[in-house]
Amino acid sequence: MMRCKPVISSLAFASFLMGGAAPVAMASSSDDAQIRALRLEMAQMRKEMMGQITTLKSRLARTESVSHKQDHMSTASAHGGRAHREIASGPVDPSVQFNEPAPFANRIHLANAGTPTSDRGDVMSWKSFRAATKSDENVHVGGMIVGFPKGRFTVASEDGAYGLSIGLAFHEDFGGFFNSGPRGNEARGAFNSFTSNMRRLRIPFTFRYKNFVAAVTPDFGANHNDGYVGLYEGNLNYTGLHNTILTVGYFQPRVTEEDSESSNDFFTLERPSITDMVRNIAAGDARFSVGGLHYEKRWWIAGYFTGQEWGHRNASDMSSTYYGGGSGSTVDSQTGATLRVAGRPVATKNWDVHMGASGISAFRLACNSTDAYHCSRSTSFGQRPEFDIGEANLAATGGISNAAQVWAAGPELGVRWKRLIVKGEYYHVGVQRDAPGLKSAGFQGWYGSAAYTLFGNPRLYNEKEGAFGAPGVPEAQEFDPARNHWGALEVVGHYSVIDLNSRLNDANAKNVVRGGQQTVWTGGLNWYPNRHFRIMLDYSHFIVSRSMQATNIYGRTGNSVAARIQAGF
């Protein structure tokens, strides 16, 4: 009690001085306006001080009560058996506010997970969204929360019912080919010695009302050359069921392990050729889809009914419309479906084992009118040598006529041991044909990839994607040479094969498809200075047997060096 009285006395004395200051001021001034202003100011100061005195008295009274209780509970000290007591401060009264704000009170911190953000709309349940907005420091402005949950700028209502998130996926590629020239009278093809391409420039907008989420992502880096603008996704999602996302609209259906990953997480600049080929049968970017996915710690499943790609019936840009070209002659759009199932039988600190299978089918191809009574259903396959800066296809089938259905299926396998990940997939592709004398065509492909994190947090398993994520850089480990912090660095590589030859020895020339076999060896380094930026460097060597392409009459080999600067928010 003796400690409390001097504090109260000092505050009362200060209040008394403030109360008596006004007459002195009036006596020393002849300006009535100034006197009135001083009176108002002093009255306001006195009111604020008296409020603080009242609050502090209340806190001191509570402190004294706690002290008395501790007196009864105190034990004798080791020196002379004398008792001692501790005085604990009472709870902070929120009504007490001082003019000087606490340092860093409005500082916004990013999440400490350290992994890159997705290249697509981050669709999560209302419960997960509220947890994400609370887990990071944020600013409350006029009943709204402004922050960066998972590293993406977000404005939300206090309860998280309404939300708007804006992101970025920026991939700028540059590099070129060497020792890749044509043989004999082959066409040279677009194999630049040096060029650049805005591979992706996506701005994901995610609009939320509770468990309903609309994702709209324009892409200013669409197609394989600079200058095209498209739509990566535009869909509506419902997330009210446990670990489930139901989707309708233009979307990228999740099929194959590689395609389920965000492009911000890729090992190398491009997907292996076989997974890119398979996904475009009835999935791929901006595909109309109706379906959903469900995930748990140990398993993952997704299935979608699919239709046409965005822009596929756009007659104004017949050869260059988004992702493969449109056709103004389409009178009956394609329909198809995808299914992917994955399991995770081993999930420990040092080990992850991933097993799965994917299937995809275009069970009715698009019908393009040839006259008033007939239509043509055809398909084709072709892949660049895994460096997408507008170069020509060397392995390609050309048009396959009378194609009734196209399908693909195959297994996936991945293993993580501490900092090392090894994974691979195999797929068989079939084309059913419906004209007399024509036989089905069959193609295949596979890849094997490996990644080892030299420093930084290693790649871990992403349960929501049923795939492996990218290395992480927590905020405390971000690139800062002065503190000997260097982010994360990994070395990667893969071996990739596609075989686009079918029935080469068939007596009927219409059954022969010589698309060539393409093999690509790739090695590279990925450096992550922090979770939002990455620099990639890849070297590739490709070998392609002869095909029916003008650029590959005799078989062709070559090399490429490519780099990517990446930003993701």
Side-chain angles (χ1 to χ4, degrees), residues 192-467:
N192 294 268
S193 58
F194 180 83
T195 190
S196 61
N197 181 38
M198 179 59 71
R199 185 68 177 88
R200 296 175 183 89
L201 182 51
R202 297 172 182 166
I203 304 178
F205 293 89
T206 308
F207 303 85
R208 169 180 300 279
Y209 175 67
K210 296 183 178 178
N211 282 311
F212 288 89
V213 182
V216 179
T217 304
D219 190 350
F220 297 89
N223 215 299
H224 308 288
N225 299 286
D226 284 334
Y228 289 96
V229 178
L231 178 73
Y232 172 66
E233 63 178 349
N235 51 69
L236 176 65
N237 305 268
Y238 179 72
T239 64
L241 304 177
H242 176 67
N243 288 354
T244 301
I245 303 174
L246 304 178
T247 303
V248 58
Y250 288 112
F251 180 66
Q252 180 194 333
R254 314 299 189 233
V255 64
T256 82
E257 193 276 342
E258 279 279 337
D259 195 42
S260 298
E261 294 179 6
S262 163
S263 62
N264 287 342
D265 298 343
F266 285 175
F267 282 23
T268 55
L269 270 71
E270 300 298 332
R271 298 178 183 88
S273 295
I274 186 59
T275 57
D276 197 50
M277 184 172 119
V278 165
R279 79 189 195 106
N280 284 313
I281 292 174
D285 301 341
R287 175 79 67 173
F288 177 78
S289 308
V290 179
L293 65 84
H294 179 83
Y295 62 93
E296 299 289 348
K297 180 178 180 181
R298 297 281 187 172
W299 58 278
W300 189 100
I301 186 170
Y304 301 90
F305 168 84
T306 66
Q308 68 173 22
E309 291 177 304
W310 183 85
H312 185 75
R313 293 183 293 112
N314 187 347
S316 65
D317 196 2
M318 296 284 285
S319 62
S320 301
T321 309
Y322 193 53
Y323 295 121
S327 174
S329 63
T330 299
V331 296
D332 189 11
S333 295
Q334 175 181 302
T335 54
T338 70
L339 176 66
R340 178 175 181 247
V341 179
R344 190 183 175 199
V346 178
T348 69
K349 178 181 178 181
N350 293 327
W351 288 92
D352 276 307
V353 175
H354 164 89
M355 303 176 67
S358 291
I360 186 168
S361 175
F363 41 76
R364 186 181 66 183
L365 296 179
C367 172
N368 297 313
S369 61
T370 56
D371 55 47
Y373 305 100
H374 301 89
C375 70
S376 170
R377 300 181 190 270
S378 63
T379 190
S380 64
F381 298 98
Q383 287 292 308
R384 294 168 171 82
E386 299 183 10
F387 181 20
D388 203 345
I389 53 172
E391 71 279 10
N393 288 339
L394 297 177
T397 63
I400 303 175
S401 62
N402 302 99
Q405 297 181 11
V406 181
W407 61 273
E412 343 170 335
L413 177 65
V415 177
R416 178 189 68 86
W417 177 64
K418 295 184 179 179
R419 294 177 168 271
L420 174 67
I421 289 180
V422 179
K423 66 176 184 176
E425 298 180 76
Y426 167 87
Y427 291 97
H428 180 82
V429 179
V431 179
Q432 304 297 321
R433 306 175 76 183
D434 59 1
L438 294 183
K439 300 176 182 177
S440 62
F443 313 104
Q444 63 181 339
W446 60 90
Y447 77 89
S449 296
Y452 185 82
T453 306
L454 299 173
F455 54 82
N457 289 357
R459 290 178 177 264
L460 297 175
Y461 195 77
N462 187 327
E463 295 174 5
K464 189 174 180 179
E465 294 181 347

